[in-house]
Amino acid sequence: MADVARLISSHSLRFSSSLITVNVNSLPPNNYYYSDKKIYPLIYSSSSSAASVPRFSSMPRKQLLSFKVHATVAETDQPKWWERNAGPNMIDIHSTQEFLSALSQAGDRLVIVEFYGTWCASCRALFPKLCRTAEEHPEILFLKVNFDENKPMCKSLNVKVLPYFHFYRGAHGQLESFSCSLAKFQKIKDAIALHSTTQSSSGPPKGIGELTLESVSAPTEKPAGSI
């Protein structure tokens, strides 16, 4: 047998081909045998039988020692999933004022608004694909609205399930709205194809319902759930 055992006792040893029995208190640390590039702790046991010859025999690893490995993972500065943006055409909205200003400044540009929750599994699953879509359509403005940060506004916009999408364009106002999951992402692609044709419009944005800074002062509850 090619395995090597290291002892601190002057006792002679007898090895069985099945290796190795064990009683961990009698051995000082760093006593191991090596087999097939794996390291196992040696457990020394002295017995009064068999002419008081100390013996080693094998034992299932799970019955030997229970090792707890604590890995320290260095904290990184990586943004959370909802903090990632695809580019300059994807903007985080933190207030009703920012939302109204972004729509006003978009002019005739198609605007897609995503309402999401950081706790929403469907929102997280869909988000990478939404980012890729934003990269493929730099002409479209994507607004991200965190539901928990903007509950009164979401209530005014009748957002009851997440993720939820609104499509806007200038004076034409809201073009379309619907809920969508990753499995139904084609709905977003179809809506983009339908509304992507540049249309000239004049006047301030409309179709935002009764949404004003004054109309969103009261807090609301979390939506019923995610799709």
Side-chain angles (χ1 to χ4, degrees), residues 58-59 73 87 111 121 133 143 169:
S58 64
M59 193 177 203
V73 180
V111 180
T133 302
L143 304 181
R169 186 191 291 278

Side-chain angles (χ1 to χ4, degrees), residues 7-217:
L7 294 179
I8 56 163
S9 170
S10 60
H11 290 293
S12 59
L13 299 177
R14 183 172 64 195
F15 296 93
S16 66
S17 58
S18 58
L19 275 190
I20 278 178
T21 345
V22 201
N23 200 351
V24 82
N25 295 325
S26 301
L27 264 189
N30 302 325
N31 286 268
Y32 302 90
Y33 82 92
Y34 301 79
S35 176
D36 296 328
K37 299 182 180 179
K38 293 182 180 179
I39 302 176
Y40 299 90
L42 281 182
I43 301 175
Y44 177 82
S45 173
S46 81
S47 170
S48 58
S49 61
S52 298
V53 177
R55 298 195 305 175
F56 293 81
S57 62
S58 64
M59 193 177 203
R61 289 175 63 187
K62 289 182 180 179
Q63 296 179 20
L64 293 178
L65 294 174
S66 176
F67 292 98
K68 289 185 179 180
V69 179
H70 298 279
T72 303
V73 180
E75 229 182 288
T76 66
D77 293 330
Q78 291 294 327
K80 297 179 177 64
W81 70 264
W82 64 87
E83 296 173 338
R84 297 184 177 94
N85 284 328
N89 63 324
M90 182 173 274
I91 301 173
D92 289 285
I93 297 298
H94 302 288
S95 68
T96 302
Q97 179 64 67
E98 289 183 9
F99 181 67
L100 295 174
S101 296
L103 289 179
S104 178
Q105 295 169 14
D108 291 332
R109 194 177 184 185
L110 181 62
V111 180
I112 299 177
V113 184
E114 180 207 16
F115 298 90
Y116 72 94
T118 59
W119 41 266
C120 169
S122 293
C123 301
R124 182 171 187 169
L126 175 143
F127 186 64
K129 199 161 187 176
L130 185 67
C131 287
R132 288 195 294 271
T133 302
E135 291 171 352
E136 294 166 359
H137 295 276
E139 75 283 1
I140 299 175
L141 178 63
F142 289 78
L143 304 181
K144 294 160 51 189
V145 178
N146 185 329
F147 179 88
D148 292 312
E149 288 183 356
N150 302 277
K151 291 181 180 180
M153 181 176 73
C154 291
K155 180 181 180 181
S156 295
L157 294 173
N158 203 32
V159 176
K160 297 180 178 178
V161 64
L162 300 176
Y164 202 77
F165 292 86
H166 282 188
F167 284 67
Y168 295 91
R169 186 191 291 278
H172 296 283
Q174 185 175 311
L175 306 172
E176 191 173 356
S177 65
F178 52 79
S179 60
C180 185
S181 64
L182 179 60
K184 298 178 180 179
F185 197 83
Q186 187 61 40
K187 289 174 65 176
I188 295 177
K189 292 184 175 181
D190 292 342
I192 289 175
L194 176 64
H195 303 301
S196 61
T197 304
T198 302
Q199 303 176 29
S200 178
S201 61
S202 59
K206 63 180 182 180
I208 312 177
E210 301 299 321
L211 181 64
T212 63
L213 293 178
E214 292 76 19
S215 68
V216 293
S217 58

